Each structure stands twice: as structure tokens, then as C-alpha cells.
């Protein structure tokens, strides 16, 4: 069982680079120009991972920034969510896009069941409740 | 005398012509939303906590919460801290903010339990000076930084690359672009990220565009941060802004999930501009925005009026309010890109005054967009400071020994950088088969100050490039490969380093920038201010960088210039020492006592008049006035008054002229006190030959007991301007070095060669 990271482990790329390889990612040292030229490194290798966001959340919490840590944890759940679906959910969350709670609740269900985004799903459901209470399911354009 | 038909003091007409009068000022009117710090409609601070939940917030019971209250109550207020924090009287907390013995961390902890009304009430207790001081103590990262706008009126990618490279050289930590034509976003992004890879790596880059497009550009790896996620302080304004706290918080998580640094934007006046201010003060509404941002879990904020700054600046206390909202931001432990972008005034004095507190207090990003380009090229609209005024800012840093995040650049090196950047973007375009800019286009951009002077791409041509980048789904990997393939390996490496930042996400933490190849944030560079000698200090090495502005006079340069003049002038004026000077007996005599360096090491006045010509005119004037000139060199003093007095005491008439080589002259009388002379030319830089002639004439008249009209050299204060001072001091030092205690005056025979016209 790994101990939670603290501010002493930051920056991770300098202090704990070995942790970043844990999910089968390439070592940071291997992300060099020669590898890019040869095609061995792609955009895929230059993405942040849920693990890295989780580690940053631990550091943010240790630094006394619990809300930032929460955001990193929500973000970790979105890493594997396709861009189009992210933009779809974002659009639904904007005022007046959904005509009722239903589309938001559906989006939350997909987030939870398809993408395992438990926190984000609860967040979207909470938004649906608030929007109903504040009358945001109204025609805007 | 009364001018007919005028019933106005004409000073007002002159004031009307000053740039300041282009600024318009608004009356305080809280009901209409024109109130900076407090409004009768602002709630009194309060919080209710029932079973660990917020049951009321600033007088509003939970049942009546709007969506902003709901979000703040749930995600910002820490119920464990709130009762304690809210119970401390606001004046007491205000004193803690300016007490260097109260640690920042303790104040940040208390802020987690404070409502928007409480935060606003506390900072309203502070004067402008106290706000700036508290800001300096409370900001999150220790080392200050700055952000640039890099845009141009043509969306020309060649110019963007060149200007981005210059911004990097100037030391900006972040650069931000936007477009005149929104389709050009992809081209702008590629051009800026290539330009920003010239010279060093680590400058974060943003392409400000429509939310979805901006995220796509970030995913393609071209941009590394975003700050266009705006929030508002009233529910109606938020909805009109087409978002909710939940949609924005979702976006915040989405950016982090793509490894892109993000901050929100909010600023005084936005609700007022949008028509939904609820008669609340600017500061209270902004306190709500900032609590909301901490609640959303964003690391930072672009805050301090922003687009609302010009409106805020029309109100009493407007500038102080902008500082106050920035203080709340850093107190809430948010990175603060502290406004100072939209230009809120036409008055250069107000511009200088606006920036100063930030410059001396420091800020994560002093300007959330310093216009590194010219005003007309700034597609965000002109910033507080722009390319035109950039050197003024560099000098302010030097004046106050304050690190404003910028470093002076050398002229030659800048041209090389611009060439390198335009060559690099041209290579990328060619390699990726996007465009083939001509050599003439590149050359015009390299030397151009702004897009008016370039023969380069037009917005329509850029759109073709931009749409191809998007349609072909090119990514930063393609750009890195293209750079490497065309020999721009250093730039390829630099760009790769930047993209690699997202693998660890280290730069997602609060207040992160990259300095010297390392991520520096509030975590590993925390502001530890605890009084003098602590917190950020300009190191000696950094001080030397700040000092290295252009065209600094040094002793060697000035002395070499004078030596060169001396070489050229030696033939025009020769002085022969005839022996010790005697006291004269001729009642019509005027003795001219010259300084030790006169005609020996120094041959022209500060005003550029050759001493040979000056002497010719002065002697002619003495003769015209009925006197006879005798020239004596003083060796015991270089001081004007003593030169004059010593000359007068050697003079048969008791009247003498003291004349320094730099052109300062005095008429003296033997029985007067040293500094109580008859006439003085103190403004040597503007004293002309005719004045010296008339001075000689008057001296001769005094010698005859007459009372001539004193010669007045017309001045508007130029001579006392700093343009002369350093030079004068260095030149005068040549004179004082030649003085010798107790040395006797020498009789001089002067002969003229070719006297210049």
C-alpha cells in the first residue's frame, strides 16, 4: 500500500517519476525527440492519466486545497471519456439546453455506468436538481 | 486683463485638451449598480450551520438560495471553520491581513469559513496601500510573473511567431492569443506555439476562442492553458452568460482531464454591463464570483475588472476596488492573473498609477494580458500597457527595483529571434504543405513593429491555412516533427518539453509557471512573506537583469565622447599659460575665470556649443559693452560661484565672469557673498551663443557702474530634465578631478584656430 503523496513529492516529474509509469505509460525520459521522430511517441503518450490526476489530488489536499483536489478527482474520471461525449454533457449542462431533468439524468447514467465516472455522475444529477428548482429548464433560443 | 466674451478661467480649456478628459466619470449610484465597495443592497455577513450543513448564507435561508448560493454553500463554505471565522470582527481580520506576524496559511484557513459578504466587508476596511501590502503577503506563489497578449490585426501567422518569440525573450510566463476571424484559431495556435518555442522552453500558451474549439485546440497539444471560463456574481448574469456553476465546474474538470492548466475569469462590472447587478456593490458580487471559483476547484482566476475594468474605473474608488477583489482572490488561495489588461483610461498618468501597486507588490501574473504588441494589433483591445509603452514598464522595474516579470532585450538579439521564429513557422508550413511564404513576406515581418508595416498574409488567406490544420487533424506532434525535419531541433525539443508537462500534471497545481526548465508553483515556491527580508526579493543577479535597459550612460562612454571632441577641437582653441594671474588695475576690466578642464579636457558645453565659439562671443560682448576682457584659469575650484567670485577679485573693476566648461556661467562682484551673484546662467543645456555675448556685455556695463537689464534664458524646465543629468554629473567630475587645493589662478592667452560657425 503506497502512502499518499504530500507536497514533498512535488513536482512528481522530478521527485517521483517512477509512479507515472505505473499504468503502462512510457517513462518520461523516453518521451524524447528521437522517439517522436521515429513515431514511437504519439499524442496518446503525451496525455495525462487518471493516476497522475489522482496523485496531484493527493498533493493538492496535502497543500490545504481540498476543492482543487476534488476537481482533479472529477477530472481523473473524465480522462477516458471521449471528447464528443464530454462536449455533449457540457452542452446539456448549459442553461436551457435540456427541457427537463431527464436528459441530464441520462447523461449521468452513461457517465456512471459506461465510464465509471461516479463523482461526475453525482455532480450532473445534482445540477439537474438545482436546475429544476431554479427553473432553468426553460426555452432560451 | 479680462478677455472680452470670456467668462472662464482658461486653465479649464487647457485641461479640456488633456487625454484625461476623454475618460468619463460616473456618479456613485448604488441602486443603479454604480458602487464600488458597498451598497445598501449588500447583505450583512452571516452564516447558519445546522448538522454540518449551511442553513443560511449572508441572510438568505437555504430554501431561498439561488444557484450561486447553493454552489458556494455546498462547495466553498467549510462548516467546521465557518462559526469561528464568521465570529471574528471584520476590522480584526483586516488587521491580521496586514500583520506580517499572522501567517498566510492561517488566513487562508479562515477564508474557507467566510461568506462572500464577510470577505468583502473585511477587505473594504483596508486602504489602497494596505490592500497592496496584504496582496503581497497573501499571493500564492512567491516569484512574480507576467502574461502577454500576442495578436495582430491580420491574424498573420508569421508576425504571431515573431512576436511570440519576442514575448518569450522578454520573460513573459504565459502568452495568450485570439483572432479577428474566429476560423483562424488553428493557425494562430500553431504560429504562437512555434514562436514561443524559440529561445527557451516553458512559456505557457493559450488560444482564446469558443469554449469547445479552445478545448479541441488544447487536445491537439497546441495550447497549454485556458482562462476564458467566465463566472458571474448574479444568477441572471450567469444564465445570460450561457452557463451555470455546474457547467463551468464540469468544464474545469474537462480541462484538467486533458492535462491543460486552467483558470476562471471574473471581474467587477460584468454584471453591471450585462444588466443584472441586483443593486449590489461591485466588490460583493466579485466576492461571490471568487468563492464560486474556489468552490469549483479551479486553481486560479483571471480577476480584477478584466472587461469591466474600464467601467469600474469610472466610479469613485474604482481602482481600489480592483485591487480589493484581487486581494480576495489570493486570500482564497487562488492563482491570480491580476487584470491590468483592458485599458481603462486615456491618461498615461492613470496608467502608471494603476500598474504601480501591482509592480511593487508582485503578482502571479501582474497583467492578465500585457499588450506585447502595438495597440492596434491587440485583438483583445488595447491593454493597460502595450508594445508602445513596454520600455516605460522596464524602466519602472528598474526605478523601484521591483520584479515585474520582464527582462530588457537587446536590439540585435531581438532581430535574430524574429528571423529565427519566422523561418521556423515558414518551415513548418512548408513541411506540412500548408503554405509557402515568400522571402519578402518573411523579411517584411522581421523588421515590422506592427501589422500596418507587413507585406504578409491577409485574414482570408490565413483562414485557408487554419481550416486545413483543423480538417487534417494535425497535432503538435506533427509540428514538432516538421521543426525537427527542417533543422529546427532546438525549437522541436522546446515544444516537446512543453507538451510533456501534461504527462505529470505538475503544472495543474496552483500558480504554476515554468522557470528555467522547472515547474514553479505555490507548492514548491510558496509565498513565505513574514516581514522585511522574507518573501520574494530581487536577487543581485536578477537586479542586474532589470537594470540592463537600453542606452545606459556610463563614465567610460561619456569620457570617450568628450575625448573625441577634444581631439577634433584642439586645433580650434589653444590656451597658453602666461604665468600667475595678477590683480588687475584697469577699471574697465572684466576677468573671465574659466574652470580647470576648460579647453584642456573639455571643449563644448552641455548644450553642444564649442568653447572656442563661446569665448569669441563672450569677449566680443565684453568689448561691445565698453569693457576689456582678461582670461584667467582657476585651478583651485570648478564651482561656478567661486570661479566667478575669484575672477571678480582679480578684476580691476571688481566684476568677473565665472565660466565652467559645461557652459554654466555667472557674473560676480568682488564684495558679494559667494552665492549672491549678479547674474547666473544655470541652464547650460539651453543657453545659446547670443546669451553668452549679452552676458559679456552686461558684465562690462556693471564694470562701469551701470545697471543693465539682466539676461534671462527662456526655459520651460527642459534643462532640469533627466535627459541631461547623468551626463552633466560625469562631465563635471572631469573638472573636479583637475582641481588642486590652494593652486593659484593662471593668466591665459587664448588663440583661435578655425572657429566653427
Amino acid at each position: 500500500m503506497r502512502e499518499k503523496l504530500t507536497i514533498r513529492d512535488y513536482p512528481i516529474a522530478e521527485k517521483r517519476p517512477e509512479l507515472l509509469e505505473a499504468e503502462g505509460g512510457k517513462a518520461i525520459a523516453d518521451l524524447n525527440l528521437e522517439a517522436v521522430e521515429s513515431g514511437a511517441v504519439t499524442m496518446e503518450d503525451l496525455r495525462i492519466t487518471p493516476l497522475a490526476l489522482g496523485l496531484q489530488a493527493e498533493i493538492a489536499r496535502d497543500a490545504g486545497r481540498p476543492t482543487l483536489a476534488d476537481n482533479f478527482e472529477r477530472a481523473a474520471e473524465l480522462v477516458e471519456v471521449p471528447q464528443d461525449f464530454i462536449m455533449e454533457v457540457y452542452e446539456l449542462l448549459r442553461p436551457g439546453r435540456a427541457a427537463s431533468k431527464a436528459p441530464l439524468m441520462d447523461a449521468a447514467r452513461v457517465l456512471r455506468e459506461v465510464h465509471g465516472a461516479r463523482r461526475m455522475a453525482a455532480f450532473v444529477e445534482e445540477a439537474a436538481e438545482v436546475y429544476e428548482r431554479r427553473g432553468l429548464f426553460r426555452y432560451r433560443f | 486683463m479680462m478677455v472680452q466674451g470670456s467668462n472662464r478661467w482658461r486653465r479649464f480649456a487647457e485641461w479640456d485638451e488633456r487625454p484625461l478628459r476623454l475618460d468619463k466619470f460616473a456618479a456613485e449610484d448604488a441602486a443603479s449598480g454604480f458602487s464600488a465597495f458597498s451598497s445598501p443592497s449588500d447583505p450583512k455577513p452571516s452564516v447558519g450551520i445546522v448538522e454540518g450543513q449551511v442553513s443560511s448564507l449572508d441572510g438568505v435561508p437555504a430554501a431561498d438560495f439561488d444557484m450561486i448560493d447553493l454552489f458556494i454553500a455546498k462547495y466553498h463554505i467549510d462548516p467546521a471553520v465557518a462559526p469561528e471565522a464568521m465570529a471574528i470582527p471584520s476590522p480584526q481580520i483586516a488587521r491580521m491581513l496586514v500583520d506580517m506576524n499572522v501567517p498566510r496559511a492561517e488566513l487562508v484557513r479562515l477564508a474557507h469559513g467566510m461568506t462572500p459578504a464577510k470577505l468583502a466587508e473585511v477587505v473594504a476596511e483596508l486602504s489602497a496601500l494596505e490592500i497592496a501590502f496584504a496582496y503581497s503577503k497573501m499571493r500564492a506563489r512567491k516569484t512574480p510573473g507576467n502574461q502577454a497578449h500576442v495578436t495582430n490585426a491580420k491574424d498573420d501567422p508569421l508576425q504571431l511567431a515573431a512576436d511570440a518569440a519576442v514575448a518569450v525573450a522578454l520573460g513573459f510566463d504565459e502568452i495568450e492569443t485570439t483572432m479577428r476571424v474566429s476560423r483562424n484559431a488553428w493557425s494562430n495556435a500553431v504560429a504562437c506555439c512555434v514562436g514561443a518555442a524559440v529561445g527557451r522552453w516553458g512559456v505557457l500558451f493559450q488560444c482564446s476562442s469558443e469554449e469547445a474549439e479552445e478545448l479541441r485546440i488544447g487536445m491537439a497539444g497546441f495550447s497549454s492553458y485556458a482562462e476564458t471560463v467566465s463566472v458571474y456574481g448574479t444568477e441572471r448574469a450567469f444564465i445570460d452568460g450561457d452557463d451555470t456553476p455546474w457547467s463551468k465546474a464540469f468544464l474545469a474538470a474537462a480541462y484538467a482531464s486533458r492535462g491543460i492548466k486552467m483558470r476562471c475569469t471574473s471581474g467587477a462590472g460584468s454584471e453591471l454591463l450585462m444588466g443584472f447587478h441586483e443593486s449590489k456593490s461591485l466588490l460583493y458580487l466579485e466576492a461571490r464570483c471568487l468563492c464560486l471559483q474556489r468552490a469549483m476547484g479551479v486553481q486560479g482566476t483571471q480577476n480584477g475588472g478584466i472587461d469591466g475594468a474600464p467601467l469600474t474605473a469610472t466610479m469613485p474608488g474604482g481602482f481600489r476596488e480592483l485591487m480589493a477583489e484581487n486581494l480576495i482572490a489570493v486570500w482564497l488561495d487562488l492563482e491570480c492573473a491580476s487584470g491590468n489588461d483592458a485599458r481603462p483610461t486615456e491618461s498615461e498618468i492613470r496608467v502608471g498609477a494603476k500598474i504601480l501597486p501591482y509592480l511593487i507588490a508582485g503578482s502571479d501574473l501582474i497583467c492578465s494580458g500585457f499588450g506585447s504588441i502595438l495597440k492596434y494589433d491587440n485583438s483583445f483591445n488595447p491593454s493597460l500597457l502595450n508594445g508602445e509603452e513596454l520600455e516605460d514598464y522596464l524602466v519602472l522595474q528598474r526605478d523601484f527595483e521591483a520584479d515585474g516579470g520582464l527582462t530588457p532585450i537587446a536590439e540585435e538579439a531581438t532581430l535574430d529571434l524574429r528571423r529565427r521564429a519566422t523561418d521556423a513557422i515558414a518551415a513548418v508550413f512548408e513541411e506540412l504543405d500548408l503554405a509557402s511564404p515568400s522571402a519578402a513576406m518573411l523579411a517584411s515581418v522581421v523588421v515590422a513593429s506592427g501589422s500596418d508595416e507587413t507585406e504578409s498574409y491577409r485574414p482570408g488567406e490565413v483562414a485557408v491555412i487554419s481550416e486545413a490544420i483543423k480538417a487534417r487533424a494535425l497535432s503538435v506532434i506533427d509540428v514538432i516533427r516538421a521543426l525537427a525535419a527542417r533543422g529546427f531541433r532546438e525549437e522541436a525539443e522546446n515544444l516537446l518539453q512543453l507538451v510533456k508537462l501534461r504527462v505529470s500534471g505538475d503544472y495543474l497545481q496552483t500558480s504554476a509557471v515554468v522557470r528555467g526548465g522547472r515547474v514553479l508553483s505555490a507548492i514548491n515556491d510558496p509565498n513565505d512573506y513574514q516581514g522585511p527580508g522574507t518573501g520574494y526579493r530581487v536577487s543581485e543577479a536578477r537586479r542586474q537583469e532589470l537594470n540592463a535597459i537600453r542606452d545606459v550612460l556610463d563614465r567610460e562612454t561619456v569620457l570617450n565622447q568628450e575625448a573625441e571632441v577634444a581631439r577634433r577641437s584642439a586645433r580650434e582653441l589653444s590656451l597658453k599659460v602666461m604665468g600667475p594671474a595678477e590683480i588687475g588695475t584697469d577699471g574697465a576690466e572684466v576677468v573671465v575665470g574659466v574652470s580647470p578642464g576648460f579647453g584642456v579636457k573639455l571643449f563644448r558645453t552641455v548644450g553642444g556649443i564649442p568653447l572656442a565659439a563661446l569665448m569669441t562671443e563672450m569677449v566680443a560682448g565684453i568689448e561691445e559693452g565698453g569693457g576689456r576682457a582678461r582670461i584667467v584659469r582657476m585651478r583651485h575650484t570648478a564651482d561656478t560661484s567661486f570661479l566667478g567670485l575669484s575672477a571678480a577679485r582679480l578684476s580691476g573693476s571688481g566684476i568677473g565672469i565665472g565660466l565652467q566648461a559645461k557652459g554654466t556661467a555667472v557674473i560676480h562682484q568682488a564684495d558679494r557673498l559667494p552665492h549672491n551673484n549678479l547674474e547666473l546662467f544655470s541652464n547650460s543645456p539651453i543657453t545659446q551663443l547670443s546669451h553668452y555675448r549679452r552676458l559679456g556685455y552686461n558684465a562690462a556695463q556693471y564694470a562701469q557702474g551701470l545697471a543693465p537689464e539682466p539676461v534671462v534664458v527662456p526655459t520651460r524646465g527642459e534643462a532640469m530634465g533627466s535627459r541631461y543629468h547623468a551626463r552633466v554629473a560625469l562631465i563635471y567630475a572631469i573638472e573636479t578631478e583637475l582641481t588642486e587645493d590652494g593652486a593659484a589662478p593662471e593668466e591665459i592667452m587664448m588663440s583661435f584656430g578655425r572657429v566653427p560657425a
Side-chain angles (χ1 to χ4, degrees), chain A residues 10 67 81 83 97 126 131, chain B residues 74 219 242 244 294 506:
Chain A
Y10 179 90
T67 61
V81 178
Q83 180 73 359
R97 302 304 200 278
E126 179 183 79
Y131 290 9
Chain B
K74 171 145 189 197
M219 284 192 64
D242 208 17
T244 73
R294 191 184 91 78
D506 286 322

Side-chain angles (χ1 to χ4, degrees), chain A residues 7-15 20 26 28-29 31-43 45-49 52-53 55-57 59-60 63-72 74-76 78-87 89-90 93-95 97 111 120 123-124 126-127 130-131 133-134 136 138 140-141, chain B residues 62-67 70-71 74-75 104 112 140 210-212 215-216 219-221 235-236 238-254 256-259 294-299 333 475-477 480-481 484-485 489 492-493 496 499-500 502-510 512 518-524:
Chain A
I7 56 173
R8 285 180 297 282
D9 298 300
Y10 179 90
I12 298 174
E14 284 173 31
K15 304 270 183 71
L20 298 173
K26 292 188 170 67
I28 287 190
L31 302 172
N32 55 43
L33 187 55
E34 289 68 29
V36 170
E37 286 181 285
S38 72
V41 166
T42 65
M43 271 314 281
D45 300 307
L46 295 170
R47 283 176 20 167
I48 197 161
T49 59
L53 281 162
L55 298 175
Q56 296 295 353
I59 290 168
R65 301 189 177 101
T67 61
L68 181 61
D70 288 345
N71 180 45
F72 289 153
R74 287 192 290 267
L78 292 182
V79 171
E80 305 298 342
V81 178
Q83 180 73 359
D84 289 348
F85 187 60
I86 284 187
M87 295 320 296
V89 178
Y90 170 59
L93 282 168
R94 299 178 97 162
R97 302 304 200 278
L111 279 169
M120 208 71 244
F123 193 77
V124 172
E126 179 183 79
V130 171
Y131 290 9
R133 181 173 151 180
R134 299 302 297 169
L136 259 60
R138 59 172 184 256
R140 291 194 71 240
F141 57 84
Chain B
D64 297 335
F65 280 175
D66 66 15
M67 62 179 185
L70 281 163
F71 205 92
K74 171 145 189 197
Y75 294 104
R104 175 182 188 275
H112 292 184
E210 189 274 327
E211 305 277 22
L215 193 50
R216 278 190 205 99
M219 284 192 64
E235 189 177 75
R236 293 285 303 279
F238 221 123
I239 293 169
D240 250 36
D242 208 17
D243 270 297
T244 73
W246 279 264
S247 69
K248 289 296 195 189
F250 183 84
L251 208 52
S257 79
R258 268 57 190 163
R294 191 184 91 78
M296 287 162 58
V298 299
Q299 63 83 29
D333 204 17
S475 77
V476 76
I477 291 285
I480 293 169
R481 282 195 193 123
R489 294 198 74 81
E493 294 271 13
L496 178 60
V499 186
K500 270 167 66 177
R502 52 181 76 187
V503 174
S504 68
D506 286 322
Y507 80 142
L508 302 180
Q509 295 286 356
T510 302
R518 293 192 65 224
V519 175
L520 213 60
S521 75
I523 301 212
N524 61 348

Side-chain angles (χ1 to χ4, degrees), chain B residues 664-682:
Chain B
T664 305
V666 67
I667 304 179
H668 231 308
Q669 195 166 23
D671 55 2
R672 300 180 80 87
L673 288 169
H675 293 290
N676 191 14
N677 53 58
L678 289 171
E679 292 189 35
L680 174 67
F681 287 177
S682 58

Side-chain angles (χ1 to χ4, degrees), chain A residues 90-108:
Chain A
Y90 170 59
E91 185 63 16
L92 269 179
L93 282 168
R94 299 178 97 162
R97 302 304 200 278
S100 70
K101 275 173 76 174
L104 283 169
M105 299 308 274
D106 287 346

Side-chain angles (χ1 to χ4, degrees), chain B residues 468-484:
Chain B
I469 297 168
K470 184 178 180 180
R472 288 167 51 194
L474 295 175
S475 77
V476 76
I477 291 285
D478 300 302
V479 172
I480 293 169
R481 282 195 193 123
L483 283 167

